Amino acid sequence: MNKMLYENYVAILANELFPALGCTEPIAVAYAAAKARQVLGELPDKIDVTCSGNIIKNVKGVTVPASGGQKGVDVAAVLGAVGGQPDKKLEVLSEINDAHRQKTSELIERGICSVHLREGEENLYIYCVVRKGSKCAAVEIRSYHTNITKIEHNGEVIYSKSDDTQSEVNGDKTLLNMCDIYDFANQVRMEDVCEIINRQIEMNTAIAEEGIKRNWGVNVGSEVIKNYGNDVKFRAAAYAAAGSDARMGGCPLPVVINSGSGNQGVTVSMPVIVYAGELAVSHEKLVRALVLSNLVALNQKRYIGSLSAYCGAVSAATGAACGVAYLYDESFEVICKTVINSVGTIGGMICDGAKPSCASKIRSAVDTALMSYMLAKDGFAFAHGEGFVEEDIDQTIANIGRIGRVGMADTDIEILNIMIGK
């Protein structure tokens, strides 16, 4: 590969695949509040959080990690202000203890936090203002979960930057395409990606096993194994779902994310990890398969955006099925057909917020994606002209992205209106 392109792909993986503790939307709220409290210099007696609809949608139904089972934007913000460690970014709540939880409950009971919807903003937007007497501080986050675009202290802007995600995210995702992704997976040097991928394997396996063993969410993962058996295709879907069971239930274990989402991080990795164990492939083979699966998912999501009405489990499961195909030494053609079959079948499944039902959607998406691979390996794929399918695989991916970003925009608004009773 071209050296510049190769280094760009390494950078994308390094900057997209990192740990987060808990669902990334409440964590982003907690991060904004923790950073604002750090700027203020003391615990506030008033917090105002203004969010885009998608933030509210994805925080409403999910347990805030380390909160003791509580939910809501106000809980995430107050907990972040009370005990959050902003330098840890998406692991901001990793040092929360019982004293922090008790203090948070007291402050929530006193009603110190107000939450407001900001209409007409981009899908990922948070503006958190903290006050203590006459002093105040504010933090604005846009576009992705750790992208602080403005910090204010006592009405003065002390930090700002343009809303240019590429200025901080080292790696240009517009250069992603299926052919180069496949070549990169085959050519990448292990020393360039092993630390990144090994962390994903370790963390995501741990939370998936936690979801299988214990009572989290609605136990989709363990129920799949209980009712369908231990065949690899069922285990692949079960372990992906189990990771989500645990995350959505507030499990205090970190997960390596993909496309800004822990659920997508688990979905894109666990089926590949499960199949690699079944096939007893080398560790290097597993790493290369996960490089492929992660980049295929990131390539789809770059068109859709971080948050939308399009369920990201579809993109992640599609990437995972491509990774499984890679484990079986399938051709580039089969991998492309797997993408077409998968998004052509289940593309458009709605996202109505982060919550326990995400695990069930993940199971369905993985099951569909693996079926799509089985069709592809036998030479079957949806043809050009059928719906949004094009002869060019990259144009097909762009088409489904357009549907998710533009076509489902009104769907997103109606979902939010239903959720807030409007």
Side-chain angles (χ1 to χ4, degrees):
M1 289 184 71
N2 172 277
K3 183 175 183 291
M4 183 179 71
L5 188 62
Y6 178 95
E7 291 176 350
N8 184 67
Y9 276 31
V10 171
I12 289 171
L13 290 173
N15 286 276
E16 289 284 342
L17 275 58
F18 57 89
L21 193 154
C23 179
T24 47
E25 279 71 60
I27 287 296
V29 171
Y31 173 54
K35 186 66 178 178
R37 185 261 167 94
Q38 184 184 63
V39 174
L40 185 68
E42 56 186 313
L43 185 65
D45 53 24
K46 180 65 176 173
I47 302 174
D48 288 290
V49 187
T50 301
C51 303
S52 58
N54 269 269
I55 292 293
I56 292 175
K57 183 179 77 173
N58 282 318
V59 178
K60 181 180 179 182
V62 68
T63 301
V64 178
S67 68
Q70 300 180 77
K71 300 177 181 180
V73 173
D74 56 347
V75 171
V78 174
L79 193 61
V82 168
Q85 303 295 315
D87 293 343
K88 294 193 172 184
K89 295 191 174 182
L90 292 188
E91 293 180 280
V92 62
L93 299 181
S94 61
E95 297 184 18
I96 295 296
N97 56 37
D98 287 340
H100 295 139
R101 280 185 282 272
Q102 182 177 348
K103 185 65 175 178
T104 296
S105 296
E106 293 172 2
L107 295 176
I108 292 291
E109 184 68 23
R110 281 167 44 190
I112 77 158
C113 185
S114 299
V115 180
H116 314 278
L117 170 65
R118 175 71 63 84
E119 296 184 4
E121 272 291 350
E122 57 188 274
N123 287 346
L124 199 162
Y125 175 82
I126 301 165
Y127 184 66
C128 180
V129 182
V130 297
R131 296 181 173 88
K132 179 72 171 181
S134 62
K135 296 186 291 184
C136 68
V139 168
E140 178 187 75
I141 290 177
R142 290 180 178 272
S143 300
Y144 59 94
H145 300 78
T146 58
N147 185 37
I148 294 177
T149 52
K150 184 166 63 175
I151 300 175
E152 299 168 280
H153 187 217
N154 293 330
E156 178 185 353
V157 176
I158 61 173
Y159 171 82
S160 67
K161 71 171 185 176
S162 62
D163 184 24
D164 178 5
T165 61
Q166 292 303 327
S167 65
E168 186 163 318
V169 177
N170 185 16
D172 184 358
K173 287 183 285 187
T174 66
L175 299 178
L176 289 169
N177 64 81
M178 286 298 295
C179 183
D180 286 337
I181 288 171
Y182 181 73
D183 287 346
F184 178 76
N186 285 325
Q187 298 176 30
V188 65
R189 296 183 294 272
M190 288 297 98
E191 61 266 27
D192 290 335
V193 294
C194 256
E195 182 178 354
I196 301 165
I197 300 300
N198 285 344
R199 181 173 59 189
Q200 185 180 52
I201 294 168
E202 178 184 354
M203 289 186 174
N204 294 7
T205 299
I207 199 167
E209 289 177 345
E210 171 70 18
I212 290 289
K213 293 174 184 176
R214 292 183 173 83
N215 183 29
W216 292 104
V218 292
N219 296 299
V220 174
S222 58
E223 284 292 305
V224 168
I225 290 177
K226 175 183 174 182
N227 290 285
Y228 290 92
N230 208 34
D231 184 274
V232 63
K233 64 178 176 291
F234 298 129
R235 278 189 288 120
Y239 272 76
S244 179
D245 283 326
R247 291 189 69 253
M248 298 296 94
C251 176
L253 290 176
V255 62
V256 171
I257 68 175
N258 181 291
S259 304
S261 164
N263 278 348
Q264 291 171 57
V266 170
T267 305
V268 80
S269 59
M270 286 315 303
V272 184
I273 294 167
V274 169
Y275 266 88
E278 178 75 10
L279 298 174
V281 301
S282 68
H283 186 69
E284 178 178 337
K285 187 77 170 180
L286 170 58
V287 170
R288 293 187 184 280
L290 285 170
V291 165
L292 179 78
S293 65
N294 279 286
L295 289 173
V296 169
L298 287 163
N299 188 30
Q300 295 168 75
K301 281 298 299 247
R302 75 180 176 95
Y303 292 102
I304 299 168
S306 297
L307 300 176
S308 74
Y310 185 102
C311 179
V314 175
S315 305
T318 299
C322 292
V324 171
Y326 188 90
L327 293 175
Y328 279 100
D329 295 318
E330 302 289 2
S331 66
F332 175 66
E333 180 183 9
V334 168
I335 288 170
C336 290
K337 287 181 177 179
T338 298
V339 173
I340 291 169
N341 290 342
S342 183
V343 299
T345 301
I346 202 171
M349 181 165 66
I350 65 165
C351 171
D352 54 341
K355 60 208 174 309
S357 68
C358 291
S360 186
K361 294 183 180 185
I362 287 169
R363 189 216 64 82
S364 297
V366 172
D367 182 67
T368 297
L370 291 174
M371 178 199 70
S372 298
Y373 161 54
M374 286 185 276
L375 290 170
K377 74 182 179 64
D378 288 338
F380 300 109
F382 306 133
H384 171 227
E386 296 180 359
F388 56 78
V389 177
E390 305 268 0
E391 289 183 357
D392 180 1
I393 179 62
D394 292 303
Q395 186 57 53
T396 300
I397 292 170
N399 288 349
I400 192 66
R402 176 181 169 185
I403 292 168
R405 185 185 71 256
V406 180
M408 297 180 72
D410 287 342
T411 302
D412 204 25
I413 293 170
E414 290 309 314
I415 291 170
L416 177 63
N417 286 339
I418 290 168
M419 291 180 69
I420 64 177
K422 188 174 178 180

